[in-house]
Amino acid sequence: MTLQDRARTFVAAIPHCAALGISVEEVSAARAVLTLPYDPRLVGDPATGVIAGGAVSVLMDTACGAAVMAHPEAQGATATIDLRIDYFRAATPGQRLIAEAECHHVTAHVAFVRATTFDADMTRPVATATGTFTVVRDGA
Amino acid sequence: MAPDPMQTRRDAALADLIEGVPYARFLGIRFDRRGDELTAILPFRDMLIGVPTPPALHGGATAAFLETAALIELAWRSTWDRMETGTPLPPLPRPINMTVDYLRPGLPRDAFARARVNRFGRRYASVHVEAWQDNRERLFAQATGHFLMPQGT
């Protein structure tokens, strides 16, 4: 199975991702790009129509997990140890969100990951995430 | 005898507050009120699962639950005094950031959360949230979030 296929299978098997419509856009070594379509059910404040921060958290947590699984040295299941999300600006209502995650360092037991979320404007991030994840290394 | 108008008004204000957040309804989050104390409840549903085997709650769903509990606690605190005069609900605070600690896997059963507002400033608020399932002393997740308070209200 290719890295792309494995990541797609991983995300497709997650009921919560299916409920939100999260899908894999692209996967390469230690990197994953996931999307979340705009959905009025995911709005946090009807006065603005802006997607709830919590839905952005789901997108980035999943993207970070997929990036860990796509790391050549960290194969297999992973779980979030901690995740910090910074909300830069309100996502534009009606636009899909796209999260790019990168697993930039792994030790024997821990993966370090960062992610950035955009709407249609790829020059101004909506939110960023920094997290640590559990990891099982090959042969460990 | 029916409860006095203030209790009815508080229950209605809380219902309006929660009803006003579509995403909270999507996740099925409910709130239990004891006076001014709120407990958020996330009834288990299959759509909350993040790991199929063994089944566990999605970390993102847990984060979203904690964030919603923090947001509603903060908005509830802003609303509490206004209810004496019957003024409408203020605009919702906006999240600045949220740091979530995952202490153990979320089991496929109901989850509960309680938030504590540690700073309630005119502009910034800091809220700590604890979530548990079977045992209040064994948290499965905790979080600290900062929020920007609505201005001119």
Side-chain angles (χ1 to χ4, degrees):
Chain A
M1 212 195 296
T2 68
L3 213 51
Q4 297 268 357
D5 292 341
R6 203 172 69 179
R8 272 183 226 284
T9 310
F10 163 70
V11 172
I14 302 174
H16 195 58
C17 291
L20 270 72
I22 291 174
S23 62
V24 174
E25 184 89 354
E26 193 186 316
V27 178
S28 53
R31 193 172 167 275
V33 181
L34 272 66
T35 60
L36 170 70
Y38 184 80
D39 185 334
R41 295 176 306 164
L42 307 181
V43 164
D45 186 350
T48 58
V50 173
I51 291 288
V56 181
S57 300
V58 178
L59 176 65
M60 287 209 276
D61 181 66
T62 313
C64 287
V68 173
M69 294 187 73
H71 193 287
E73 291 165 45
Q75 319 234 317
T78 180
T80 317
I81 298 171
D82 91 304
L83 192 70
R84 176 195 166 109
I85 312 266
D86 284 300
Y87 299 105
F88 290 0
R89 66 177 176 93
T92 307
Q95 297 180 357
R96 72 163 193 173
L97 296 180
I98 181 160
E100 303 177 348
E102 176 201 9
C103 176
H104 56 94
H105 188 72
V106 288
T107 69
H109 301 289
V110 183
F112 296 85
V113 193
R114 50 188 170 223
T116 309
T117 295
F118 300 91
D119 55 19
D121 182 352
M122 296 294 284
T123 64
R124 293 192 309 136
V126 164
T128 59
T130 312
T132 48
F133 284 69
T134 63
V135 64
V136 181
R137 285 180 77 139
D138 279 349
Chain B
M1 204 169 114
D4 78 5
M6 183 50 87
Q7 178 174 336
T8 311
R9 195 187 296 172
R10 283 173 178 157
D11 287 339
L14 180 60
D16 285 351
L17 194 58
I18 299 158
E19 198 62 21
V21 184
Y23 188 58
R25 291 206 306 272
F26 174 75
L27 291 175
I29 298 172
R30 294 190 283 111
F31 285 83
D32 178 33
R33 180 175 82 84
R34 306 285 163 97
D36 67 344
E37 185 188 74
L38 297 182
T39 304
I41 304 163
L42 180 69
F44 176 73
R45 287 150 74 198
D46 285 346
M47 64 86 92
L48 298 172
I49 287 179
V51 183
T53 43
L57 298 180
H58 192 293
T62 299
F65 175 50
L66 291 169
E67 188 173 316
T68 304
L71 180 73
I72 296 291
E73 177 74 34
L74 203 50
W76 180 240
R77 185 154 164 180
S78 315
T79 306
W80 185 260
D81 294 334
R82 303 164 72 103
M83 279 181 293
E84 304 286 342
T85 51
T87 47
L89 295 176
L92 288 171
R94 278 173 42 197
I96 299 169
N97 59 41
M98 191 83 186
T99 305
V100 185
D101 271 339
Y102 294 91
L103 305 170
R104 43 181 63 84
L107 301 168
R109 49 185 87 146
D110 296 357
F112 310 95
R114 204 166 284 168
R116 189 178 67 235
V117 179
N118 286 322
R119 180 194 152 90
F120 188 80
R122 274 174 38 79
R123 201 170 290 272
Y124 308 104
S126 177
V127 187
H128 184 76
V129 203
E130 296 180 341
W132 72 96
Q133 294 188 299
D134 295 338
N135 182 339
R136 179 71 178 84
E137 299 305 309
R138 271 173 66 86
L139 305 180
F140 80 100
Q142 62 178 351
T144 298
H146 295 93
F147 292 82
L148 193 61
M149 302 305 289
Q151 295 301 296
T153 54

